[in-house]
Amino acid sequence: MSDDKSRKEMLEELGEPDPFLVFVGQMMEFGKKYQKQILASVGAVVALAIVITGVVYYKNQSEDRAATMLGKTIAKYNSIKKDESSFIAYEEVKKSFKNITEKYGSTGAGKVALLQYADICFLTKNYDEAITAYNQALDTLGKTEFKSMIISGLAYSYQGKEDDEQAVKYFEMITKDEAAVMKDEALFNLGLLYSKLGKTEQEKEAFTKLVSEYPDSMLFDRASEKIPG
Protein backbone atom coordinates (compact mmCIF):
# COMPACT_ATOMS: atom_id res chain seq x y z
CA MET A 1 0.00 0.00 0.00
CA SER A 2 1.45 3.36 -0.97
CA ASP A 3 1.78 6.11 1.62
CA ASP A 4 -0.26 8.67 -0.32
CA LYS A 5 -3.50 6.70 -0.32
CA SER A 6 -6.59 8.62 0.66
CA ARG A 7 -8.34 8.17 3.97
CA LYS A 8 -11.22 6.40 2.22
CA GLU A 9 -8.84 3.97 0.46
CA MET A 10 -7.07 3.22 3.74
CA LEU A 11 -10.35 2.48 5.47
CA GLU A 12 -11.51 0.24 2.65
CA GLU A 13 -8.26 -1.75 2.60
CA LEU A 14 -8.38 -2.11 6.38
CA GLY A 15 -11.86 -3.55 6.08
CA GLU A 16 -13.64 -0.58 7.61
CA PRO A 17 -17.33 0.14 6.81
CA ASP A 18 -18.54 2.89 4.51
CA PRO A 19 -17.49 6.32 5.97
CA PHE A 20 -21.01 7.72 5.50
CA LEU A 21 -22.48 4.99 7.69
CA VAL A 22 -19.57 5.29 10.11
CA PHE A 23 -20.48 8.94 10.59
CA VAL A 24 -24.11 8.13 11.31
CA GLY A 25 -23.02 5.33 13.62
CA GLN A 26 -20.78 7.69 15.59
CA MET A 27 -23.67 10.06 16.11
CA MET A 28 -25.77 7.15 17.31
CA GLU A 29 -23.05 6.25 19.79
CA PHE A 30 -23.25 9.74 21.25
CA GLY A 31 -26.99 9.29 21.47
CA LYS A 32 -27.00 5.98 23.36
CA LYS A 33 -30.01 7.20 25.28
CA TYR A 34 -31.94 7.06 22.02
CA GLN A 35 -30.29 3.97 20.55
CA LYS A 36 -33.41 1.83 20.20
CA GLN A 37 -35.35 4.55 18.43
CA ILE A 38 -32.45 5.32 16.08
CA LEU A 39 -31.92 1.72 15.10
CA ALA A 40 -35.63 1.15 14.65
CA SER A 41 -36.16 3.65 11.85
CA VAL A 42 -34.43 6.14 9.62
CA GLY A 43 -37.16 8.56 10.63
CA ALA A 44 -35.80 8.50 14.16
CA VAL A 45 -32.93 10.69 12.97
CA VAL A 46 -34.92 13.30 14.89
CA ALA A 47 -33.18 11.87 17.96
CA LEU A 48 -29.84 12.93 16.55
CA ALA A 49 -31.00 16.53 16.46
CA ILE A 50 -32.08 16.19 20.07
CA VAL A 51 -28.66 14.95 21.08
CA ILE A 52 -26.88 17.77 19.27
CA THR A 53 -29.02 20.63 20.56
CA GLY A 54 -29.34 19.22 24.06
CA VAL A 55 -33.12 19.44 24.21
CA VAL A 56 -35.81 16.81 24.75
CA TYR A 57 -38.43 18.23 22.41
CA TYR A 58 -38.65 20.31 19.26
CA LYS A 59 -38.89 24.02 19.88
CA ASN A 60 -40.55 24.86 16.60
CA GLN A 61 -41.68 23.58 13.24
CA SER A 62 -38.32 24.32 11.64
CA GLU A 63 -36.73 21.57 13.72
CA ASP A 64 -39.37 19.13 12.57
CA ARG A 65 -39.02 20.05 8.89
CA ALA A 66 -35.23 19.92 9.03
CA ALA A 67 -35.26 16.50 10.71
CA THR A 68 -37.74 15.19 8.14
CA MET A 69 -35.57 16.44 5.26
CA LEU A 70 -32.49 14.89 6.83
CA GLY A 71 -34.23 11.55 7.28
CA LYS A 72 -35.39 11.55 3.66
CA THR A 73 -31.90 12.43 2.43
CA ILE A 74 -30.33 9.56 4.38
CA ALA A 75 -33.02 7.21 3.06
CA LYS A 76 -32.28 8.44 -0.49
CA TYR A 77 -28.59 7.74 -0.02
CA ASN A 78 -29.29 4.21 1.22
CA SER A 79 -31.59 3.57 -1.73
CA ILE A 80 -29.04 4.75 -4.31
CA LYS A 81 -26.25 2.85 -2.58
CA LYS A 82 -28.05 -0.44 -3.26
CA ASP A 83 -27.55 -0.10 -7.02
CA GLU A 84 -24.74 2.40 -7.48
CA SER A 85 -21.27 3.12 -6.12
CA SER A 86 -20.75 5.12 -2.93
CA PHE A 87 -19.31 7.97 -4.99
CA ILE A 88 -22.46 8.26 -7.13
CA ALA A 89 -24.63 8.06 -4.03
CA TYR A 90 -22.63 10.83 -2.38
CA GLU A 91 -22.95 13.06 -5.43
CA GLU A 92 -26.69 12.48 -5.60
CA VAL A 93 -27.36 13.53 -2.00
CA LYS A 94 -24.72 16.23 -1.67
CA LYS A 95 -27.02 19.02 -2.84
CA SER A 96 -29.78 17.87 -0.49
CA PHE A 97 -27.50 18.12 2.52
CA LYS A 98 -26.39 21.59 1.45
CA ASN A 99 -30.02 22.69 1.09
CA ILE A 100 -30.74 21.59 4.66
CA THR A 101 -27.76 23.53 5.99
CA GLU A 102 -28.78 26.67 4.11
CA LYS A 103 -32.43 26.58 5.13
CA TYR A 104 -32.16 25.15 8.63
CA GLY A 105 -28.57 25.73 9.70
CA SER A 106 -29.53 26.76 13.23
CA THR A 107 -31.46 23.56 13.96
CA GLY A 108 -30.05 20.36 15.35
CA ALA A 109 -30.71 18.48 12.13
CA GLY A 110 -29.15 21.35 10.18
CA LYS A 111 -25.94 20.98 12.16
CA VAL A 112 -25.89 17.25 11.52
CA ALA A 113 -26.42 17.93 7.82
CA LEU A 114 -23.56 20.44 7.79
CA LEU A 115 -21.17 17.84 9.17
CA GLN A 116 -22.35 15.28 6.66
CA TYR A 117 -22.10 17.78 3.81
CA ALA A 118 -18.50 18.52 4.80
CA ASP A 119 -17.75 14.80 4.92
CA ILE A 120 -19.25 14.24 1.47
CA CYS A 121 -17.25 17.15 0.04
CA PHE A 122 -14.12 15.49 1.39
CA LEU A 123 -15.03 12.06 0.04
CA THR A 124 -15.73 13.51 -3.41
CA LYS A 125 -12.39 15.39 -3.25
CA ASN A 126 -13.89 18.87 -3.15
CA TYR A 127 -11.36 19.77 -0.48
CA ASP A 128 -11.74 23.55 -0.43
CA GLU A 129 -15.50 23.22 -0.07
CA ALA A 130 -15.00 20.61 2.64
CA ILE A 131 -12.66 22.91 4.58
CA THR A 132 -15.20 25.74 4.45
CA ALA A 133 -17.96 23.45 5.71
CA TYR A 134 -15.82 21.92 8.45
CA ASN A 135 -14.86 25.40 9.67
CA GLN A 136 -18.52 26.39 9.76
CA ALA A 137 -19.24 23.25 11.76
CA LEU A 138 -16.37 24.07 14.11
CA ASP A 139 -17.93 27.48 14.81
CA THR A 140 -21.20 25.92 15.93
CA LEU A 141 -20.11 22.53 17.30
CA GLY A 142 -16.57 23.26 18.47
CA LYS A 143 -17.52 22.76 22.11
CA THR A 144 -19.33 19.44 21.63
CA GLU A 145 -18.33 15.79 21.31
CA PHE A 146 -18.00 16.39 17.58
CA LYS A 147 -14.96 18.68 17.87
CA SER A 148 -12.36 15.96 17.27
CA MET A 149 -14.35 14.63 14.31
CA ILE A 150 -14.39 18.10 12.75
CA ILE A 151 -10.68 18.67 13.39
CA SER A 152 -9.98 15.30 11.80
CA GLY A 153 -12.00 16.32 8.75
CA LEU A 154 -9.95 19.49 8.42
CA ALA A 155 -6.69 17.55 8.76
CA TYR A 156 -7.63 15.06 6.03
CA SER A 157 -8.96 17.78 3.75
CA TYR A 158 -5.72 19.75 3.93
CA GLN A 159 -3.80 16.52 3.41
CA GLY A 160 -5.97 15.79 0.38
CA LYS A 161 -5.10 19.14 -1.22
CA GLU A 162 -1.44 18.58 -0.28
CA ASP A 163 -1.24 21.53 2.09
CA ASP A 164 1.07 19.55 4.36
CA GLU A 165 1.81 22.26 6.91
CA GLN A 166 -1.87 22.85 7.60
CA ALA A 167 -2.54 19.12 7.71
CA VAL A 168 0.22 18.71 10.32
CA LYS A 169 -1.32 21.52 12.38
CA TYR A 170 -4.69 19.77 12.64
CA PHE A 171 -3.34 16.25 13.12
CA GLU A 172 -1.21 17.60 15.98
CA MET A 173 -4.34 19.11 17.52
CA ILE A 174 -5.92 15.65 17.53
CA THR A 175 -2.96 14.03 19.26
CA LYS A 176 -2.96 16.72 21.96
CA ASP A 177 -6.70 16.54 22.66
CA GLU A 178 -7.41 14.19 25.55
CA ALA A 179 -10.99 13.68 24.38
CA ALA A 180 -10.07 12.92 20.76
CA VAL A 181 -10.51 9.49 19.23
CA MET A 182 -8.43 7.69 16.58
CA LYS A 183 -5.20 9.25 17.81
CA ASP A 184 -3.27 6.31 16.35
CA GLU A 185 -4.48 7.24 12.86
CA ALA A 186 -3.51 10.88 13.47
CA LEU A 187 -0.02 9.83 14.61
CA PHE A 188 0.42 7.62 11.55
CA ASN A 189 -0.49 10.45 9.21
CA LEU A 190 1.79 12.80 11.11
CA GLY A 191 4.63 10.33 10.58
CA LEU A 192 3.97 10.29 6.84
CA LEU A 193 3.75 14.07 6.66
CA TYR A 194 6.89 14.63 8.74
CA SER A 195 8.72 12.23 6.42
CA LYS A 196 7.48 14.14 3.39
CA LEU A 197 8.59 17.42 4.96
CA GLY A 198 12.02 16.02 5.80
CA LYS A 199 11.46 16.22 9.58
CA THR A 200 13.17 12.96 10.49
CA GLU A 201 13.12 13.35 14.26
CA GLN A 202 9.42 14.21 14.38
CA GLU A 203 8.70 11.33 12.00
CA LYS A 204 10.43 8.87 14.31
CA GLU A 205 8.69 10.31 17.35
CA ALA A 206 5.23 9.98 15.78
CA PHE A 207 5.64 6.36 14.67
CA THR A 208 7.34 5.38 17.95
CA LYS A 209 4.53 6.90 20.00
CA LEU A 210 1.93 5.03 17.95
CA VAL A 211 3.73 1.72 18.48
CA SER A 212 4.30 2.25 22.21
CA GLU A 213 0.88 3.65 23.13
CA TYR A 214 -1.43 1.84 20.70
CA PRO A 215 -0.24 -1.80 20.43
CA ASP A 216 -3.71 -2.93 19.33
CA SER A 217 -3.94 -0.45 16.48
CA MET A 218 -4.50 -1.78 12.97
CA LEU A 219 -1.66 0.54 11.96
CA PHE A 220 0.79 -0.97 14.48
CA ASP A 221 2.71 -3.16 12.00
CA ARG A 222 2.95 -0.45 9.35
CA ALA A 223 4.13 2.09 11.89
CA SER A 224 6.73 -0.35 13.26
CA GLU A 225 8.18 -0.82 9.77
CA LYS A 226 8.46 2.93 9.29
CA ILE A 227 10.40 3.79 12.43
CA PRO A 228 13.74 5.09 11.11
CA GLY A 229 16.77 3.12 12.27
Side-chain angles (χ1 to χ4, degrees):
M1 184 185 302
S2 64
D3 290 342
D4 60 351
K5 286 184 179 297
S6 69
R7 179 190 186 195
K8 185 172 186 292
E9 290 171 331
M10 285 179 61
L11 290 174
E12 289 177 345
E13 293 190 11
L14 290 171
E16 293 294 319
D18 189 290
F20 183 101
L21 300 181
V22 170
F23 180 89
V24 175
Q26 288 170 325
M27 288 189 290
M28 290 178 180
E29 179 63 23
F30 291 127
K32 285 182 179 179
K33 181 177 180 181
Y34 307 97
Q35 187 174 25
K36 291 183 180 179
Q37 297 96 312
I38 293 171
L39 293 176
S41 168
V42 173
V45 71
V46 167
L48 302 180
I50 296 174
V51 174
I52 297 249
T53 57
V55 298
V56 294
Y57 61 93
Y58 288 120
K59 292 182 178 180
N60 51 54
Q61 292 182 342
S62 292
E63 289 281 4
D64 190 38
R65 287 194 293 269
T68 299
M69 288 178 65
L70 181 57
K72 288 181 178 179
T73 301
I74 291 175
K76 180 180 179 180
Y77 166 84
N78 287 328
S79 177
I80 298 171
K81 182 72 163 50
K82 291 179 181 178
D83 303 313
E84 304 287 353
S85 68
S86 295
F87 185 87
I88 291 176
Y90 289 135
E91 287 287 3
E92 287 291 325
V93 299
K94 180 179 174 181
K95 185 176 181 179
S96 295
F97 278 110
K98 187 172 184 179
N99 286 339
I100 298 171
T101 65
E102 291 177 346
K103 291 181 180 179
Y104 304 105
S106 63
T107 67
K111 294 171 184 177
V112 172
L114 177 59
L115 278 173
Q116 188 55 67
Y117 175 69
D119 207 29
I120 290 176
C121 288
F122 164 75
L123 290 166
T124 52
K125 300 184 179 182
N126 295 303
Y127 299 122
D128 287 329
E129 198 169 351
I131 289 168
T132 297
Y134 281 126
N135 276 315
Q136 290 174 345
L138 192 61
D139 288 340
T140 58
L141 297 169
K143 295 182 179 180
T144 70
E145 298 93 334
F146 293 93
K147 179 181 178 180
S148 64
M149 187 186 302
I150 298 168
I151 296 298
S152 178
L154 284 165
Y156 280 109
S157 295
Y158 278 113
Q159 186 180 37
K161 64 179 293 185
E162 298 186 355
D163 187 338
D164 298 331
E165 294 289 351
Q166 284 295 308
V168 164
K169 170 186 171 182
Y170 286 103
F171 279 125
E172 286 180 343
M173 288 174 64
I174 295 171
T175 63
K176 295 175 182 177
D177 184 354
E178 293 183 1
V181 296
M182 299 181 74
K183 289 186 180 181
D184 58 329
E185 189 175 319
L187 285 167
F188 186 81
N189 280 282
L190 276 175
L192 297 180
L193 288 165
Y194 287 141
S195 176
K196 187 177 178 182
L197 293 169
K199 298 181 178 181
T200 306
E201 289 301 317
Q202 290 95 322
E203 173 192 0
K204 182 177 181 179
E205 182 180 346
F207 287 131
T208 300
K209 186 172 183 180
L210 192 163
V211 170
S212 63
E213 296 185 9
Y214 302 95
D216 296 326
S217 171
M218 290 185 292
L219 295 167
F220 179 88
D221 291 337
R222 293 180 64 198
S224 299
E225 295 171 356
K226 291 182 178 295
I227 296 175

